[in-house]
Amino acid sequence: MSHSAPPPRTSGDAHDDRLVANVHPPDWVNPTPAGRYNLVVLGAGTGGLVAAAIAADLGARVALIERHFMGGDCLNTGCVPSKAVIRAARAVAAVRDAGRFGVRVPDGVTVDFGQVMERMRRLRADISPHDSARRFRDLGVDVYFGAGCFTSFDTVVVGGQSLRFARAVIATGARPAVPPVPGLAAVPFLTNETVFNLTRLPRRLGLLGAGPIGCELAQAFALLGSEVVLVEGARGLLPREDRDAVAMVRAAMERDGVRVLPGGRALRVAAGAAGGIGLQPGPEAGSGEFVVDQLLVATGRIPNVAGLGLDAAGVAHGPHGVTVDDHLRTTNPRIFACGDVCSPHQFTHAADFMARLVIQNALFPGRARVGSLLIPRCTYTSPELAHVGVGASEARDRGMEVDTFTQELSKVDRAILDGDSSGFVRIHVRRGTDTIVGATVVAPRAGDQIGEITLAMKGGLGLDTVGAAIHPYPTHADAFRRTGDLYRRTRLTPPVKRLMAWWFRWCRR
């Protein structure tokens, strides 16, 4: 249940009406429970939907409880709307840069922001039937709308009805975190739950938070025409990522008009002149106040655990969400959890695969481990930044010795021809072997490309095998093959080279 409040709808909008008709029908009547459920799922975001669908498909008796909108953050306020807006921003960049290809656009770029957002709402509504209450009812799932709350170790109450279960899954997701920035509580601000309700482009937009959401939306709104100021946190831009990769993303963001400011640790916020909002970063950002018309806070997410009655169910929890073991079992052996409510990997695809693991362990005598999941991630800026496994700094922290091979896109023909030569493929292997332990890709569609290395790692294929696989020419993916070539050259050690020299001398006889 995304326990955060549902985003207010655009007044009188037919697309939002269609969305709501699918994911929280106003006329929905909850079923009457009859007997004990094999599985009760709290939360109809990605994790909850996957768990409920698989369990019902296997023949289990399943109940699904959602407090607000089915589809959760991903459909309603996250992946789906953000990628629609980002796609519009990339169209702006394509028109802006058309002159590099000999294509003239005499009148330049004109953005109809209202139409951009209308397209987003239309596409979101188009996608929503997949997550709809009626679809899950047709799958055999009993769908309940309301605030579910545990009242005992095997009972949940929703809408005044008690649902008993053999097993339960907590998949209630997370909500935006609001940092303790002085003055922030006194000014209006947006989060990812409300920014997609905008119908007019902010002339000046401020962003707090330099993680994936902040970077993606900062660049997108700058391309759409806003003057954007992004205030970094204490750990800088995209702190989890490879520093060379981050430098390329920062340069692209600044090229597209984003002003990136340090000083997040000492930031103060205050009401500005003429209804604006004043941002006062620390001294490292220089003196003065930056006044914006709208402020977007994107400083992380907090697991939704309040109001679930977890203590009554004997489920331990804390600031980082529900406590689970490596099998995603809570301290109540009947209850499991998956997704953002219990995991540091707050991605839709992570919740999806955690839900599959939960079904194995909750409904069958499975021992599947969440630690065995190989979870890639991607920041959807332009260029995209994708990563899987460990990076060089993390390997050092673990005491793992690695060899690193980097193929610059500036030496990949298709990237040169497409005008997208700022980026690289970087692969880390265990020292002295071709065993891949991690990779970073900075490129257009890096999120699509990282799957090749994820598959290789999952299947136990080494970098030598990746390099031996024929890739079509010319493609961006040829960079992976070339990285394999870089590895192979390291096999030509001095003794091998001496042996080769002897062989060729003998062949000339």
Side-chain angles (χ1 to χ4, degrees), residues 317-508:
H317 57 94
H320 300 294
V322 173
T323 302
V324 294
D325 63 15
D326 202 31
H327 307 291
L328 295 178
R329 190 190 301 267
T330 72
T331 49
N332 179 335
R334 291 178 177 267
I335 300 175
F336 292 73
C338 66
D340 293 3
V341 74
C342 66
S343 173
H345 305 289
Q346 295 187 332
F347 313 120
T348 294
H349 50 281
D352 182 324
F353 277 80
M354 291 172 73
R356 297 166 191 265
L357 184 153
V358 160
I359 294 301
Q360 296 177 55
N361 294 342
L363 300 185
F364 302 96
R367 300 293 292 170
R369 297 171 48 252
V370 70
S372 68
L373 296 179
L374 184 62
I375 302 174
R377 62 179 182 261
C378 184
T379 298
Y380 296 92
T381 47
S382 294
E384 293 179 359
L385 194 169
H387 177 81
V388 67
V390 301
S393 61
E394 187 178 355
R396 285 193 298 271
D397 293 341
R398 294 185 182 185
M400 180 191 301
E401 294 188 335
V402 298
D403 295 320
T404 299
F405 301 94
T406 301
Q407 176 61 59
E408 303 286 348
L409 293 190
S410 59
K411 298 178 182 177
V412 176
D413 293 354
R414 180 60 183 272
I416 296 169
L417 296 169
D418 283 353
D420 293 321
S421 57
S422 177
F424 59 77
V425 170
R426 176 166 291 166
I427 299 178
H428 309 286
V429 299
R430 288 188 183 275
R431 178 151 298 170
T433 76
D434 75 335
T435 301
I436 303 171
V437 297
T440 295
V441 180
V442 184
R445 302 288 183 182
D448 295 314
Q449 297 182 53
I450 198 68
E452 177 168 351
I453 297 302
T454 306
L455 178 62
M457 293 175 68
K458 183 67 176 177
L461 304 178
L463 185 54
D464 186 58
T465 301
V466 172
I470 300 174
H471 291 64
Y473 174 88
T475 59
H476 284 80
D478 194 44
F480 294 99
R481 182 193 62 78
R482 288 170 173 262
T483 308
D485 287 346
L486 294 176
Y487 162 77
R488 287 176 171 181
R489 291 190 189 109
T490 66
R491 302 300 89 190
L492 289 173
T493 60
V496 172
K497 288 182 178 180
R498 286 194 296 270
L499 179 61
M500 289 292 183
W502 174 86
W503 170 255
F504 288 122
R505 283 196 303 270
W506 187 87
C507 289
R508 290 195 298 269

Side-chain angles (χ1 to χ4, degrees), residues 21-212:
N22 283 321
V23 298
H24 194 149
D27 58 350
W28 189 263
V29 177
N30 284 344
T32 300
R36 194 177 192 182
Y37 286 99
N38 294 106
L39 188 70
V40 169
V41 181
L42 284 82
T46 298
L49 293 176
V50 170
I54 293 175
D57 194 47
L58 293 171
R61 191 158 181 269
V62 182
L64 176 62
I65 302 171
E66 171 54 49
R67 184 176 181 179
H68 293 308
F69 288 174
M70 294 182 67
D73 180 75
C74 182
L75 172 67
N76 297 291
T77 61
C79 309
V80 169
S82 68
K83 301 312 169 283
V85 173
I86 288 169
R87 181 61 186 89
R90 289 179 177 176
V92 173
V95 175
R96 178 199 64 188
D97 297 337
R100 293 193 296 140
F101 303 93
V103 178
R104 302 284 177 251
V105 184
D107 298 328
V109 181
T110 301
V111 175
D112 184 333
F113 184 75
Q115 192 170 0
V116 168
M117 300 304 277
E118 187 273 338
R119 174 183 178 271
M120 176 273 293
R121 295 193 301 274
R122 171 171 54 83
L123 296 179
R124 181 173 60 182
D126 288 347
I127 291 171
S128 66
H130 185 74
D131 295 346
S132 69
R134 291 180 180 84
R135 173 176 180 260
F136 276 77
R137 180 181 61 190
D138 292 345
L139 291 174
V141 176
D142 286 352
V143 178
Y144 294 84
F145 284 101
C149 179
F150 290 102
T151 55
S152 74
F153 72 99
D154 69 346
T155 305
V156 171
V157 171
V158 57
Q161 301 189 94
S162 293
L163 282 61
R164 295 190 63 228
F165 57 81
R167 296 289 186 269
V169 178
I170 302 169
T172 50
R175 66 187 185 278
V178 179
V181 173
L184 182 60
V187 301
F189 60 86
L190 302 166
T191 68
N192 75 290
E193 292 186 340
T194 55
V195 67
F196 299 110
N197 295 313
L198 291 174
T199 55
R200 298 181 61 184
L201 180 71
R203 184 172 69 85
R204 301 168 299 181
L205 178 67
L207 283 101
L208 306 187

Side-chain angles (χ1 to χ4, degrees), residues 212-223:
I213 295 174
C215 290
E216 290 172 8
L217 293 183
Q219 187 181 41
F221 272 86
L223 285 167

